[in-house]
Every structure is written in structure tokens, then in C-alpha cells.
Amino acid sequence: MKAPQDVFAEYLANENLKMTPQRRIILDTLLKQDDHLSSEELYARVKKRDGSIGQATVYRTLKLLSDSGLVEPLDFADGVTRYEASYGKDHHDHLICERCGRNIEIVDETIERRQEQLAKEHGFTLLRHKMYLYGICPDCRKK
């Protein structure tokens, strides 16, 4: 498997774009995160590493990273798009608390098989999918 930096550099070259130092810092910063970051949160972390990188550069680079398949935008139904590194990672779904925003990544082979079965039953060739389950977490239910 190729390194994410190599995948991104190849994607950029195919788009007649260059791997700039700013793009590399943004990619490296995102790859080091375990959580789901908004563009603003990523920008704040990038800014600590290199104060010359502007917010517009982060936005444009996130779009390129998404288009290249290295990161995935996430919609937790709170009006904020978040991003997570997806290249080389196993597929997972999300449980999301509608009160506090807590999210838990879940992997369930039964659900995955059922989704594939449903697609097949309806004549679909499944290419990709996202599943978000919304509810109230145990901590919020106690309040």
C-alpha cells in the first residue's frame, strides 16, 4: 500500500497541481489526528505548525484530500462538516448523540452483510455507503 503522501502527490500531479509545503503540512496534521475535525479545528492546528497558512488554503486542500480519497467528509447532523482520514482504514459507521455530539465509531459485520444483501436484492452494485445512527448517549440520558 502506498503512503498517503504519495497517493496525494500522484493525485495532484494528475490534476496538474503541485504538492506544496502547505498542502503537506495540512495532510500531515490531519493524518496525526484520531478525532473528527472540522475545517476550523484543522486550521487552528495547522496554524500552530505554520502561521503563514491561511484558512482558504486549508479549505481548498480539504477538498483536494476528499477528492483524492484520502479523507472523508462526515455529517453528524449539527451543521458542521467534519473530516477523518479514510485511506487504508477499515470501514466503520457512527453512533452520534444528538445532545452532546459524542460519536462512536462502530464496526458490525452483520450490518455490513445486510447492507450488501439489500443492495443485491434491489439490483444495486454497492460502491460505498455511510451509516449514521442518531440517539442519546448514556451520559446525556442520566442528566
Side-chain angles (χ1 to χ4, degrees), residues 60-88:
R60 287 191 301 268
T61 303
L62 274 171
K63 171 78 169 109
L64 293 169
L65 289 167
S66 179
D67 291 347
S68 72
L70 290 172
V71 302
E72 184 175 348
L74 303 171
D75 179 7
F76 292 161
D78 62 357
V80 177
T81 300
R82 290 179 177 76
Y83 298 86
E84 70 177 352
S86 56
Y87 178 74

